[in-house]
Amino acid sequence: MNIAILCSGNGTNLQAIIDSVNKGYIPAKIALVLSDEKKAFALERANKAGIETITLDKKDYKEREDFDREIVKRLKKRNVELVVLAGFMRLLSPYFVKEYRDRIINIHPALLPSFKGPHGIKDALERGVKVTGVTVHFVDENLDNGPIILQKTVEIKEGDTEETLLERVHEEEHRIYPEAIKLFVEGKIRIDGRKVSIKS
Ligand code: GRF
């Protein structure tokens, strides 16, 4: 199966996925890494791994949907069957979601449906919860809203800062994102409304 990974930043999740593919843990090919930021370190990681990269600049597109149409065109050209968002800081248009319905996944640094949005770690810390975590979910038309595939908890410790918590959240992300992708690629995930069941 061909997969594509969309990133905007550092790409530590991308790296974990690349490593998992290279080890044979995920039986798929990363056909493309696409970024909306030409300076994203994720692009360097992909280049180093010999993966094709594309950068698209939103300034070149009038509407969000035009941008997404361009992405979808590139994905289809490469027969991409699974779209993995890994720190991609753009909301997908309904057009994109429709074209890849139930085949787009995202990772969020909190236990959804708590702390949606771009500051999941900061928001959990500020709210004073004792346990937060990581969620892998399908992407639908609404932000951080689609059916949940996997979740893992991360304890918030006395004296945690955004940096120390981020580090432990990332450790968990780098474990469960490859796991979720593997399950998808092996056809073990079934969606029934908002519920996801996993075949053993
Ligand atoms: C991750 O924390 C992920 O949960 C969120 O964006 C961050 C991306 O980090 N969606 P990286 O670029 O994979 O290091």
Side-chain angles (χ1 to χ4, degrees), residues 10-13 87 107-109 170 173:
N10 187 356
T12 63
N13 280 283
I107 189 153
H108 183 75
H170 265 163
E173 288 189 343

Side-chain angles (χ1 to χ4, degrees), residues 59-119:
K59 284 193 235 95
D60 297 335
Y61 303 86
K62 221 169 118 210
E63 306 287 341
R64 182 158 53 113
E65 191 176 307
D66 300 334
F67 185 83
D68 283 5
R69 279 184 186 276
E70 188 61 36
I71 298 179
V72 167
K73 199 170 93 189
R74 311 276 185 132
L75 298 179
K76 294 212 163 152
K77 200 171 154 199
R78 289 159 185 84
N79 297 318
V80 167
E81 290 180 69
L82 172 67
V83 182
V84 176
L85 307 184
F88 189 61
M89 300 310 284
R90 286 178 66 84
L91 199 60
L92 304 188
S93 62
Y95 165 79
F96 195 152
V97 174
K98 192 164 146 262
E99 288 297 313
Y100 273 93
R101 168 92 47 211
D102 298 341
R103 291 182 297 150
I104 309 170
I105 62 174
N106 182 44
I107 189 153
H108 183 75
L111 289 177
L112 291 175
S114 290
F115 309 117
K116 293 181 178 186
H119 308 293

Side-chain angles (χ1 to χ4, degrees), residues 5 9 13-14 18-19 30 46 54 69 80 88 92 96 99 107 117 121-122 128 138 143 170 181 183 186 194 197 200:
I5 304 175
N13 280 283
L14 168 69
I18 291 173
D19 294 345
I30 305 173
I54 293 177
R69 279 184 186 276
V80 167
F88 189 61
L92 304 188
F96 195 152
E99 288 297 313
I107 189 153
I121 293 178
K122 183 166 176 269
F138 284 104
L143 180 68
H170 265 163
I181 295 166
L183 289 170
E186 291 178 341
R194 292 205 61 83
S197 54
S200 50

